[in-house]
Amino acid sequence: MSVAQISAKGEVTIRDLSKSFRIDGDSLTVLKDINLDISGGESLAIVGASGSGKTTLLRVLAGLTEPDSGSVLIDGEPVHGLGKERAVIFQEPRLLPWLTVLGNVAFGLEVQGIPGDEAAERARHYIRLVGLAEFEGAWPRQLSGGMAQRVGIARALTVQPEILLLDEPLGALDAMTKMTMQEELVRIWTEESVTMVLVTHDLEEAIFLADRVLVLPKTKDTAIRLIDIDLPHPRDRSDPDFVRNRRQLMAEFGLH
Amino acid sequence: MTYDLTGAAQRVRPKWTISAKGISPVLGKAAADYGLIFAFFAGWQIASTVGWLNPAVFPPLDRVAQALWSGITSGALLDDIAISIQRAGIAFISAVGLGIPLGLVMGQIKPVERALDPILQLFRQTSALALYPVFILLLGLGETSKVFLIFWATIFPILLATIGGVKEVDAKLIEMARSFGASRATIFRRVILPASVPSIFVGLRLSATTALLLLIAAEMIGANKGIGFQVMNAQYNFQIPLMFAAIFLLAFLGLAANAVLVLLQRRLCRWSVASQ
């Protein structure tokens, strides 16, 4: 591990994390004794079949769901609930329809008590970063799905989190937009030096974006698997090494 | 193979816009919007003058207009208009002033809603007019019982619309705000309140209609002033043009109240497609 990585902020440590839900009186274990270290500035993808608990794990990291037991530490400090050092990008853009693009992007800062002018200035920077400079005055209903999701991404970046938590952020987009947005995410991640934890059901997306891929098993007694994706960014989807990594990851799910 | 997209777009253009090309577009639009109502009044005027309609029951519109004008210039109708607006206005403003805050609380705090809902349903289903004798017994025959009757009926639409608006706020938006560390108060102010505005306006418009409806009923039953009283009184005295003048005044009040609310809604909800 290089010195830069050790000093980087946004390090996540997960210890013995368990979570179960009660459904119709039955207890359903979703996460069992998860241990995981994510280094600062890393890009980690979480994949797994539906019901494997990947979204629950992300929500616990975000502080939106309380774990039953175990702990989450950020930069060595145990965290409970939500925190300013984390920001979530949801599957849906979740924009406030009564605010313009600028208002939506500045929203996160404003609820954190940053004065309007400063919030707007910082928001404009990230609106430019996601390529929506000409649309800062537009209403959400005027945006396409891909543009709306960019606004959601800019809103999360504007609070300058150490850790960006993405819950299938591109799942609802069409294939072409999705690929463009994946490239954007890589660019943003490189520019912002932020830790990125991405839940996805798209194995190619995981390999395109992540340094490591966490495979959550469906049966809770099986250990989690971590796969290193040792390719330089930006990645080429048709590169033989890329294809080899994809084949390896697909084999984890019994796919060919 | 290429697709002729422009041709298809031209084909779907409706034909009647081409046939209306000769008329100026403003006139054409006015004809489309107001043609039917103009024809209705014109038909009334002609039928009444020629004698197809009994002019004693449906007087020509010029006589109605004359009655309205002399009523206003002599000041006789002005008193009625003022007292009617006062009654409906006080009741409407009180209903809104109580209904919106109560609805916001009930929509957000489940135990409060659960406790209040059965009694509200019972009150709502009890006709306000059936309760008018009770209000008169309690509050006397004066202004208070009339205003209270209107208030009683007016509060339910705005209250229920506000509760509905708050309850229908997208939980995902609330969670988004929470994920940025927004407090409950901030979530209420920045998410729940603006999200409820469109349904609150639906409630306001329903309440305004209800207020005018109950105003007329109250004035017809037990008043010696007001536009509703004038409708009844003019009919008793067989001043049919004056009766119609009062009816048109009421219709105008309703239209004006609605127009003000629509204007306000457009200003407050520029973001919403429905308000365009």
Side-chain angles (χ1 to χ4, degrees), chain B residues 115-128 130-131 152 156 159-160:
Chain B
L116 282 175
D117 190 59
I119 195 158
L120 281 180
Q121 291 300 337
L122 175 69
F123 284 172
R124 185 167 78 104
Q125 299 303 336
T126 312
S127 165
L131 291 170
W152 181 268
F156 290 107
L159 177 64
L160 294 174

Side-chain angles (χ1 to χ4, degrees), chain A residues 5-133:
Chain A
Q5 270 175 314
I6 291 166
S7 62
K9 281 198 151 198
E11 188 185 81
V12 184
T13 314
I14 300 168
R15 286 292 170 263
D16 305 319
L17 196 77
S18 294
K19 176 73 189 174
S20 52
F21 291 104
R22 295 201 76 80
I23 298 166
D24 300 331
D26 292 328
S27 179
L28 178 75
T29 304
V30 183
L31 298 171
K32 197 178 169 196
D33 297 328
I34 305 284
N35 282 287
L36 181 68
D37 295 285
I38 308 167
S39 39
E42 179 181 350
S43 163
L44 177 89
I46 305 172
V47 299
S50 24
S52 61
K54 49 190 194 294
T55 291
T56 305
L57 179 55
L58 194 87
R59 290 179 59 90
V60 170
L61 288 180
L64 291 168
T65 300
E66 278 290 304
D68 295 337
S69 61
S71 53
V72 175
L73 294 87
I74 288 169
D75 300 324
E77 294 289 319
V79 290
H80 301 285
L82 303 142
K84 282 182 186 177
E85 73 289 339
R86 286 159 286 160
V88 188
I89 297 172
F90 300 94
Q91 178 168 12
E92 322 80 18
R94 300 198 187 183
L95 305 182
L96 300 173
W98 52 88
L99 297 180
T100 59
V101 167
L102 181 65
N104 268 289
V105 174
F107 180 78
L109 285 179
E110 277 178 28
V111 303
Q112 291 175 5
I114 308 288
D117 290 349
E118 194 192 331
E121 195 181 318
R122 273 166 70 178
R124 281 201 182 90
H125 171 77
Y126 287 98
I127 291 171
R128 272 197 301 279
L129 187 78
V130 298
L132 289 177

